[in-house]
Structure formats: C-alpha cells, structure tokens
C-alpha cells in the first residue's frame, strides 16, 4: 500500500487533533507542517516527530512528495491559503470550516474552485459523529419526512487560541459562522433542502466580558436562537449556549415528522468530564414512534482510542478515513465547496439578522 503523505498548513489546537487522527489511519503520514507559532509548532512536532517543520506555506507547497493537503489555520486565513495552494500546488485538499468569513470572499472562493483540478473537501466534522451518522441514516424512516428539526448545543466557552484570534468577530466571521456553520450544514443535510429565510436573536451575555486584548474587549457572542425556514416547508431551529458546560450532553438533535421523532444525544469532550462523576455519558440515538408509542434508545459507543484523539466524538477520524479513500481512489467530496459556502451564508444571515434587529434575512 502506498503511503499517503499529508502537508498541514496551520497546526494549533484543531490542527493537532488532525495530526493525532491521521496517525490512527493505515497508510497515511504527516510529512510536512507549516505553523508560524513556535509553541504550537513544537507541540505538533512532538505528536509527529518525523514530520518536517517548513518555514513558510511556499516552502511546504514546493515539496514534491505530498499527496494531499490540510488547512487548519485560523478562520480568516482560509481563503488566502486556498489561493496560494491553487497557484502553487493544487493537491486534493481538506479545508477546515468555515470556508470563508467575509461575504466579499465568496467571489474569490468561486473563482478558485471553478478552476481547481483536484477535490476540495470542506471539513464539517459534526457530520461524522457516530450518533449523528446513525441519526441521518434513520431520520426519514423514523419521522416519515422531517417537518421540524431542532439542534441544541449547550457547551463550554470558546477556548484560548494563538493570539486570541477567536475572541473577535473580524477574525471568526462571528459565532454563528465560526461555531454554528456545523449546525447549518447539518440542517441542509438532514432536511435535503435549502433555506429561504432566517430569523435570529443572539448576543454576548456572559462570556469574555471581563477580558481585554490590546485594549479591546471581545465581541464574540455566546448564545443564540436561530429559526430557519426551508424551501421544502420544513423548519429548523438552533439553540446555542456557550456557558452551559455542566450539561450531560453537549449536542441534542431532534427531528419530528408525521410518523414520529428521532433524537441524537452527543456528549462533549471526555477530557472535560469530571472524574468524580464516573465514566462519561455514552452517545445515544432514541426513536419515538407515534404508534405504537414507546421510545427505543440505542447506545452508540465510540472506540476509546478514537475518542482520545480529539474533542469531536470521534468524527475527525471518520472524516479523515473518508477523505483518505477519496485521495487514494478518486471520487467526489462528501462536503463540497457549495455545502461549505451555504453553511457560512446561513451563519452570516443569522448574524446579520440578530445584529441589525431586522428580524428576518431572506435568501
């Protein structure tokens, strides 16, 4: 089996999760990394000691031994990296979400993707959480056609990142892009339809209000309600709270239709679960038919080795396994540029609706 060599651009917290998961794959290795922060570069090197630390993106892209690329740099750097890759070495690419952060950048993305000669896969890890995989596989059978979809994430505040870039909307696109593009992507995937309008109420209520960086107080939001109407008549709702880390489950997804209801319950990162409470909760999928009544709950455990490699319920590993198969055997990315763009577009619409108090943003 040919070893597939990865080149990694950006190796902070999420990039290092990618390193740990690539190491679990058969026939894959990280050959080169570009990470400008010395502390993060050294941490990455400790995970993959045989990888070469390159001094620039250009140096990494000049290598002739790479088979694919991963971009895991801060949000606002994604489009610049995409342009450099397209110009210098357009290999199969796994590009971390969000695809872009500024609405003006979609024209740049469209121009690049139209001419890019290899697959570009937008990294939407939440699709690959095992309980959500079961949920999406069973949702139509369980509901008879989804009419209402609710996604609730009750979690911990934003973690500290290099240079505190994630404390400011100008770098992230805003919380409803940075964090919630995952959920808007899931809405489109589960409902099989595109949105027609968004209503949102959101803001910064608790987190980061007592912090300052170079004299600036963070403006990143920590809570939101978003309601989305879809072209097929279904409705989706997102409830986000980022000061609810005491919750048993971090994500709870519910779909309801004429035949019944299905739920997916996903715990947060195991490293945050208090040891005095015993073993962390196990993910579950629950199907509740209308007739005959009676919820049917199934545990969806994840291999402990895979859980320990990241904070996303094993999804990063399963995503990489699919991407690696694409690199080896060809095919079409499961998460396209169009999917990535829609997720950002919905997040920006919700962000704008909430911040401008216009109530509704229409597509």
């Amino acid at each position: 089996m040919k070893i597939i060599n990865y080149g990694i651009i950006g190796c902070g917290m999420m990039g290092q999760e990618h390193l740990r998961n690539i190491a679990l794959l058969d026939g894959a290795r990280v050959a080169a990394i570009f990470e400008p922060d010395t502390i993060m570069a050294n941490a990455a090197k400790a995970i993959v000691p045989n990888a070469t630390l390159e001094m620039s993106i250009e140096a990494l892209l000049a290598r002739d031994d790479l088979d694919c690329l991963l971009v895991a740099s801060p949000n606002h750097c994604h489009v610049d990296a995409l342009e450099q890759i397209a110009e210098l070495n357009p290999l199969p690419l796994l590009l971390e979400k969000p695809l872009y952060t500024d609405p003006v950048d979609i024209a740049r993305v469209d121009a690049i993707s139209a001419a890019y000669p290899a697959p570009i896969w937008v990294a939407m890890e939440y699709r690959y959480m095992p309980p959500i995989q079961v949920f999406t596989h069973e949702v139509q059978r369980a509901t008879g056609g989804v009419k209402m979809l609710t996604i609730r994430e009750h979690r911990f505040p934003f973690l500290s990142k290099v240079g505190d870039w994630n404390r400011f909307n100008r770098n992230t696109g805003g919380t409803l892009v940075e964090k919630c593009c995952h959920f808007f992507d899931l809405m489109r995937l589960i409902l099989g339809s595109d949105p027609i309008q968004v209503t949102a109420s959101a803001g910064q209520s608790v987190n980061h209000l007592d912090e300052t960086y170079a004299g600036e107080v963070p403006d990143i939001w920590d809570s939101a309600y978003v309601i989305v109407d879809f072209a097929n008549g279904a409705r989706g709702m997102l409830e986000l709270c980022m000061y609810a880390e005491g919750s048993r489950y971090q994500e709870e997804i519910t779909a309801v239709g004429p035949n019944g209801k299905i739920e997916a319950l996903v715990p947060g990162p195991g490293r945050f679960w208090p040891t005095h409470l015993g073993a962390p909760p196990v993910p579950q999928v629950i199907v509740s038919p209308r007739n005959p009544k009676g919820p049917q709950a199934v545990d969806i455990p994840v291999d402990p080795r895979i859980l320990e490699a990241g904070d996303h319920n094993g999804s990063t590993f399963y995503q990489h396994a699919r991407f690696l198969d694409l690199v080896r055997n060809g095919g079409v990315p499961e998460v396209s540029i169009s999917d990535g763009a829609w997720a950002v577009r919905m997040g920006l619409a919700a962000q704008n609706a909430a911040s401008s108090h216009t109530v509704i943003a229409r597509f």
Side-chain angles (χ1 to χ4, degrees):
M1 179 190 298
K2 180 185 184 300
I3 301 297
I4 298 298
N5 287 325
Y6 280 70
I8 313 293
I9 297 171
C11 229
M13 187 177 297
M14 190 62 205
Q16 290 166 38
E17 177 168 324
H18 283 291
L19 297 184
R20 291 190 294 272
N21 281 277
I22 293 168
L24 296 176
L25 297 167
D26 291 332
R29 65 184 288 269
V30 175
I33 295 167
F34 168 64
E35 170 50 60
D37 182 82
T38 301
I39 293 174
M40 290 299 169
N42 290 338
K45 184 71 170 175
I47 297 170
V48 284
N50 293 325
T52 301
L53 294 179
E54 299 289 357
M55 299 307 294
S56 67
I57 293 179
E58 292 80 3
L60 183 142
L61 295 174
R63 296 175 63 115
D64 62 4
D65 62 339
L66 301 180
D67 300 294
C68 61
L69 300 168
L70 164 69
V71 171
S73 52
N75 296 4
H76 58 293
C77 302
H78 290 178
V79 178
D80 288 343
L82 180 59
E83 282 187 334
Q84 287 182 281
I85 292 165
E87 178 184 355
L88 298 175
N89 198 355
L91 292 169
L93 172 62
L94 183 62
L95 178 62
E96 260 298 342
K97 63 80 194 170
L99 179 58
Y100 64 96
T101 57
D102 189 323
V104 303
D105 285 338
I106 188 58
R108 298 166 64 195
V109 171
D110 287 343
I112 294 165
S113 62
Y116 201 87
I120 302 175
W121 182 312
V122 182
M124 288 290 188
E125 286 82 13
Y126 281 50
R127 286 191 181 205
Y128 299 97
M129 291 178 172
I132 293 177
Q133 287 270 291
V134 173
F135 180 99
T136 55
H137 185 265
E138 296 293 329
V139 66
Q140 293 303 316
R141 181 191 64 81
T143 63
V146 183
K147 299 300 181 184
M148 300 179 69
L149 174 65
T150 302
I151 300 177
R152 182 170 81 170
E153 181 171 70
H154 282 193
R155 57 161 281 165
F156 49 91
F158 282 115
L159 300 174
S160 296
K161 298 291 183 74
V162 174
D164 306 300
W165 66 266
N166 65 339
R167 293 301 195 258
F168 297 97
N169 290 328
R170 62 178 177 268
N171 298 327
T172 66
T175 297
L176 299 183
V177 172
E178 204 290 328
K179 181 92 263 317
C180 300
C181 63
H182 281 302
F183 307 126
F184 299 130
D185 176 63
L186 286 177
M187 286 183 183
R188 288 185 63 251
L189 176 69
I190 293 165
L191 296 175
S193 184
D194 291 332
I196 55 175
Q197 66 181 28
V198 172
T199 307
S201 177
Q204 183 182 14
S205 301
V206 174
N207 295 344
H208 316 305
L209 293 170
D210 58 352
E211 301 173 8
T212 58
Y213 303 94
E216 287 187 272
V217 176
D219 61 359
I220 199 78
W221 294 349
D222 58 19
S223 50
Y225 288 108
V226 181
I227 297 175
V228 186
D229 293 310
F230 285 82
N232 66 358
R235 295 184 180 90
M237 186 180 80
L238 168 67
E239 177 187 330
L240 174 72
C241 181
M242 298 188 68
Y243 44 92
E245 59 266 41
S247 305
R248 181 170 180 80
Y249 291 101
Q250 182 166 290
E251 286 87 28
E252 301 180 21
I253 303 179
T254 303
V256 187
N259 292 353
K261 178 172 75 170
I262 184 171
E263 302 165 86
L265 307 178
V266 186
R271 66 191 175 105
F272 295 153
W273 184 253
T275 56
H276 72 272
L277 295 179
V282 176
Q284 281 193 329
V285 172
I286 305 168
V287 176
S288 302
R290 296 179 72 189
N291 184 30
K293 294 179 181 178
Q296 304 154 16
V298 178
D299 287 348
I300 311 293
V302 181
D303 185 327
R305 287 189 319 136
I306 296 173
L307 278 180
E308 290 172 7
D311 287 340
H312 296 86
N313 200 241
S315 61
T316 303
F317 172 82
Y318 297 113
Q319 176 181 251
H320 268 291
R322 303 279 187 86
F323 176 70
L324 181 61
D325 181 69
L326 177 72
V327 174
R328 286 192 179 282
N329 302 311
V332 177
E334 293 183 11
V335 189
S336 67
I337 285 285
S338 177
D339 292 325
W342 263 115
V344 173
R345 191 179 177 194
M346 292 171 72
L348 289 171
Q351 195 88 11
N352 290 339
S355 60
S356 65
H357 305 290
T358 55
V359 182
I360 291 175
R362 289 186 173 87
F363 292 99

